Amino acid sequence: MNKTKPKYKQIIDAAVVVISDNGYHQAQVSKIAKQAGVADGTIYLYFKNKEDILISMFREKMAVFSESVQPLIEKETKAANKLLKLIQNHFSILAQDPNLAIVTQLELRQSNKEIRLLINEVLKEYLKLVDTILKDGMETGEFAQDLDVRLARQMIFGTIDETVTTWVMNEQKYDLEELAPKVHQLLLKACQS
Amino acid sequence: MNKTKPKYKQIIDAAVVVISDNGYHQAQVSKIAKQAGVADGTIYLYFKNKEDILISMFREKMAVFSESVQPLIEKETKAANKLLKLIQNHFSILAQDPNLAIVTQLELRQSNKEIRLLINEVLKEYLKLVDTILKDGMETGEFAQDLDVRLARQMIFGTIDETVTTWVMNEQKYDLEELAPKVHQLLLKACQS
Amino acid sequence: MNKTKPKYKQIIDAAVVVISDNGYHQAQVSKIAKQAGVADGTIYLYFKNKEDILISMFREKMAVFSESVQPLIEKETKAANKLLKLIQNHFSILAQDPNLAIVTQLELRQSNKEIRLLINEVLKEYLKLVDTILKDGMETGEFAQDLDVRLARQMIFGTIDETVTTWVMNEQKYDLEELAPKVHQLLLKACQS
Amino acid sequence: MNKTKPKYKQIIDAAVVVISDNGYHQAQVSKIAKQAGVADGTIYLYFKNKEDILISMFREKMAVFSESVQPLIEKETKAANKLLKLIQNHFSILAQDPNLAIVTQLELRQSNKEIRLLINEVLKEYLKLVDTILKDGMETGEFAQDLDVRLARQMIFGTIDETVTTWVMNEQKYDLEELAPKVHQLLLKACQS
DNA sequence: TATGAATGAGCATTCATTCAT
DNA sequence: GATGAATGAATGCTCATTCAT
């Protein structure tokens, strides 16, 4: 329990740990409170309800993906390199936080449709980044002129997501980050003209 | 209720309808029993527990994917065409059964980790088909010699899955089947040498 | 636990005992179930929710008041005697069931406004009987021609209710039934011309 | 918020408004504090607990009934007129303060048995006034010599209370004060010899 | 085989009260 | 005196599963 952290941060971090350790359906509010070192009632001073904890958690963590990759992308001029950075960054964040990986790839998907729809809203910001890279590449001629951006985005995100999920399901026993160049190469070939 | 159908088939079909209509978390055993036209207790003469209904349902339906695509693939000689047939078949089955699409892409994913791990076991059979196509293509020189089969398979399945999920989330309001050629083209480029 | 009684009767009787013994706010569903000799869940096979138990209880018990007094009233020709019978019957039922008296006069009044409004609906049937007696008396000339039926009814019910409540609050330590003639005499004088 | 008022008065008035507006069960201490313009904790500098607020509120308001009716009664020589003044005063106070009427007739009755027993203690002072009027009337020969004072008092209070409650339940949509003479006439006839 | 009444474990949330500042 | 953030006990209801018939 880190007393210097604001409570809402403490609670979100506690939720990641508890969900990762116990699974989505065994992550009771009281467990999260205990892990966060606060009383059950305190949770409700910072979150509207349990659902709100999950959405907030996803929002906070997803922001990390977007915010950390943004400067990396800006440094690159070639769309191909931007795409590589995005993949590397995505794999890197999850590889460095095994609990988060479990939560996002396995546990949070058990939430009900309403939560998942809200999560998708949060995701959209990240997917816009992918779209930007694709459009950049098409403008510079790196990527095929007739590329269907929506389909290509679905391919890129679907591939990244499937790769990470498989890795998590295999108990993270191989190195995810070193797959990045190969995944990148595959996706790049699909996009190039 | 078709009296000629064996009860376990009746129950599985009832489960698809009930889950699709009510959502995973509102698909109580009693609802499934009612829809199947049997008593609650009867369910337990054919299935070990509720989980068993879901796994069996997935196994039955997944078998349709594998069995229907098998002859189509055998007719084709080129790996590229085999891949096209697989994508077309996949999209076609789901486009023709909106309930099934909702259940496999949205509802069943809310099941707990244990069920999803079992579902993944069932999926493996289907993924082996993809592997076969990839290896065929590599042998004939259609596909890159250094293709990482596991990654390519994750890309192919991830892309197909993401495409279908997006289509279901958009309430199936555009034509999924006509996306097949474009998705095929993207994936093909990624695999080709 | 009387196995011959239908369960819903068992549960209602259990509710009267539990509320009387523990008070309205300490009458948990689990206590009622235990007292009725059934599982918690069984309650919900017979009642929609806790509120429904209370309303049903009141309806059942109020029906006893109306149904038991009806034949007594019909036997009498004079309105004055009808009124006496109603008061005697009212006091008699409550005097013979101390638990019921506590529940109706003290505990059930702690229920929320919604329940109390529903209870009032049930009461209306009983109050109609009072109105009938009053109108009878006015027709036969026993009662004043200018009697305001609504006010007279409020006086009669208000007096009966206050008398019973005071008796319950004094822990039922004097004889309620022997007050009937005196209460009757008071109310009669107010109604007579 | 009137800064000149002592805080405990502020809090009691806030309680009346909050209970009237939100209902007994939605009248949280924090809402009362907010309405009174003080912090939650401040409540506990002036009241032992929430129950104490309610009792104090009832005591304060009940005192108004007794104190306002006392001089009116003293002016009258005839017991009949004293009774009329008491009824008129009772109706008048509640008709002029709709919030108070709601709180005393509907909301406060949802409080638990303990609170209601304490409230009854407070009421006794007021009921003694009724007793005094009755005894006066008996001494002067206005009222029947064999009048049972306790029963007559219960009739008077029961009738007044039921009349007001019915009026509040009917959303105060008719004129309560103009009912006073008729209620008076009814009760008078019951008491007269 | 088939039934369906009965079971009972499990959990998010509220709110009166406290106490360090 | 005044504050308000933090506390933590307490409970109605659902639904997968059983088992006597």
Side-chain angles (χ1 to χ4, degrees), chain D residues 41-59:
Chain D
T42 306
I43 299 269
Y44 292 87
L45 298 175
Y46 295 92
F47 299 91
K48 217 168 79 250
N49 50 33
K50 187 179 179 179
E51 195 167 291
D52 191 25
I53 308 176
L54 302 176
I55 304 292
S56 304
M57 176 174 83
F58 200 78
R59 197 185 326 253

Side-chain angles (χ1 to χ4, degrees), chain D residues 80-120:
Chain D
N81 289 341
K82 287 172 195 268
L83 183 59
L84 178 61
K85 290 297 176 189
L86 184 129
I87 298 168
Q88 283 176 330
N89 184 66
H90 195 118
F91 285 3
S92 167
I93 291 175
L94 292 169
Q96 279 160 40
D97 192 342
N99 283 345
L100 184 62
I102 292 170
V103 170
T104 60
Q105 304 307 121
L106 299 186
E107 302 301 343
L108 227 46
R109 317 225 162 172
Q110 298 175 52
S111 58
N112 61 44
K113 231 185 322 183
E114 286 70 43
I115 294 190
R116 274 178 309 125
L117 286 171
L118 287 169
I119 284 176
N120 267 315

Side-chain angles (χ1 to χ4, degrees), chain B residues 7 39 41-42 46:
Chain B
K7 285 238 164 66
T42 306
Y46 295 91

Side-chain angles (χ1 to χ4, degrees), chain C residues 152-183:
Chain C
R153 180 226 300 149
Q154 286 171 21
M155 175 187 67
I156 292 169
F157 187 73
T159 303
I160 291 176
D161 193 59
E162 182 71 17
T163 308
V164 180
T165 300
T166 304
W167 168 74
V168 175
M169 281 204 164
N170 281 303
E171 287 163 341
Q172 315 187 353
K173 59 187 170 209
Y174 47 87
D175 189 325
L176 178 64
E177 294 184 75
E178 72 183 19
L179 295 182
K182 281 168 125 176
V183 171

Side-chain angles (χ1 to χ4, degrees), chain A residues 40-100:
Chain A
D40 292 16
T42 306
I43 299 267
Y44 293 88
L45 297 176
Y46 297 92
F47 300 91
K48 220 168 76 251
N49 48 35
K50 187 177 178 180
E51 190 167 294
D52 191 25
I53 308 176
L54 302 176
I55 305 292
S56 303
M57 175 174 83
F58 198 79
R59 202 189 318 266
E60 289 278 327
K61 297 305 180 187
M62 216 55 225
V64 174
F65 280 81
S66 293
E67 284 163 18
S68 60
V69 82
Q70 197 90 46
L72 298 175
I73 286 177
E74 279 165 9
K75 270 190 221 140
E76 302 293 336
T77 48
K78 286 192 154 179
N81 289 341
K82 288 173 195 266
L83 184 59
L84 177 59
K85 291 297 177 188
L86 184 128
I87 297 168
Q88 283 177 329
N89 183 66
H90 194 117
F91 285 4
S92 165
I93 291 175
L94 292 170
Q96 278 160 42
D97 191 343
N99 284 342
L100 184 62

Side-chain angles (χ1 to χ4, degrees), chain C residues 7 39 41-42 45-46:
Chain C
K7 287 241 161 65
T42 306
L45 297 177
Y46 297 92

Side-chain angles (χ1 to χ4, degrees), chain A residues 73 79-80 82-83 86 127-145 147-157 187-188 190-192, chain B residues 186:
Chain A
I73 286 177
K82 288 173 195 266
L83 184 59
L86 184 128
L127 295 178
K128 271 189 202 160
L129 272 179
V130 177
D131 279 12
T132 308
I133 295 174
L134 287 168
K135 283 172 193 159
D136 274 8
M138 285 169 71
E139 273 179 31
T140 63
E142 279 180 83
F143 294 165
Q145 294 308 310
L147 197 65
D148 183 317
V149 173
R150 195 184 60 185
L151 281 186
R153 178 225 304 149
Q154 287 170 20
M155 174 188 67
I156 291 170
F157 186 75
L187 295 175
L188 196 61
C191 295
Q192 283 168 338
Chain B
L186 268 181

